[in-house]
Amino acid sequence: MASQRAELQYWPTLKAWIQENRLGNYPGATTTPVVHCVICLDKDEILTPATPPQNIANAHPGVALFCGHMMCKACYGRWEKHLTEAGKAVTCPTCRHKLVYTTSQVASNGCTHPAYAWDLPVETYSPINIPPTKDDEGSIPNFCHNCRVDRMNYIARHITELRQEGYDDFQVRNILLHSAGGALELTDFEQRAAFPPNANGTYFAPWVAPPRNNEQNYLLDQLRQQLVREGHSWRGRVPQPPPVGFFGLQ
């Protein structure tokens, strides 16, 4: 009996189908999922592991968003560009969930750049790198990769300048944490990287790191290691290992 197609728009449901299919739980199944784009409404489906061989040639590459909805990669790219150029926050075209980097962790409330959209897997055994979505208790980070690099450069530059002006490390820490004129409030990771606790777990000067006259290289290397530990997220892919040039190092 020919398999019937069931329309899906939600990535976690498709992910569950893929995982069950890998286990061989759907041999001879009479129903398989099909995904169509909610933007272009094209009759050709989005390419997924459930796409029949005869439909693959005309299928469109797709993406999954943090809210869980799926659509054509090209269509979503145009949608994101349209909203960005109009000065609006990027949202899902289906549910209007806001898809920007933001959190209450910092005073600046995130960089507000558009969150990464993950490519859908195209084969049953393709790696599933898509992070947990909103309903799977996932979260969008506060800053994109580029902004995290910019922030770390800013921190390194100010530590270097303050040290050159004669401030001791205790004063440097207080200035950066409390007297930055509201321009920058450090995240927990940035505080640990710039002013790591001593062996007693306290924050009393002097600090062994960042080393003097090498603050930028040291802090960017700390960020590189952190991104590798975090792995793939809604910030996007992290090269393994990230290329040195990505972090502004020569």
Side-chain angles (χ1 to χ4, degrees), residues 52-123:
Q54 67 271 21
N55 294 353
I56 289 177
N58 294 324
H60 307 295
V63 292
L65 309 181
F66 171 68
C67 57
H69 290 110
M70 301 177 287
M71 57 209 63
C72 290
K73 183 174 184 176
C75 288
Y76 181 71
R78 288 189 290 269
W79 169 265
E80 179 185 290
K81 181 180 179 181
H82 168 73
L83 292 178
T84 301
E85 291 180 347
K88 299 179 180 179
V90 175
T91 59
C92 170
T94 299
C95 68
R96 296 300 190 267
H97 187 85
K98 188 176 290 187
L99 301 172
V100 298
Y101 298 107
T102 180
T103 179
S104 59
Q105 180 187 2
V106 293
S108 56
N109 202 33
C111 67
T112 70
H113 289 137
Y116 191 80
W118 278 90
D119 292 345
L120 292 174
V122 298
E123 298 178 352

Side-chain angles (χ1 to χ4, degrees), residues 8-44:
L8 284 184
Q9 294 296 335
Y10 192 54
W11 160 245
T13 306
L14 177 61
K15 178 182 177 181
W17 183 91
I18 295 171
Q19 292 172 329
E20 289 296 316
N21 203 47
R22 287 180 176 182
L23 298 174
N25 292 345
Y26 287 135
T30 58
T31 302
T32 57
V34 59
V35 182
H36 287 96
C37 181
V38 297
I39 299 177
C40 66
L41 303 177
D42 197 304
K43 63 180 180 61
D44 292 321

Side-chain angles (χ1 to χ4, degrees), residues 119-183:
D119 292 345
L120 292 174
V122 298
E123 298 178 352
T124 299
Y125 292 97
S126 297
I128 298 179
N129 295 319
I130 301 173
T133 58
K134 173 174 64 72
D135 290 342
D136 288 332
E137 299 184 355
S139 62
I140 295 180
N142 49 344
F143 297 104
C144 65
H145 286 318
N146 288 337
C147 285
R148 291 183 85 182
V149 173
D150 290 344
R151 288 171 62 87
M152 200 59 88
N153 275 320
Y154 176 92
I155 294 165
R157 184 171 68 252
H158 278 266
I159 291 176
T160 301
E161 291 173 350
L162 290 169
R163 282 173 164 176
Q164 291 173 346
E165 291 173 11
Y167 292 97
D168 64 34
D169 283 346
F170 185 78
Q171 292 171 316
V172 169
R173 180 174 184 269
N174 280 338
I175 290 172
L176 280 179
L177 294 185
H178 308 298
S179 304

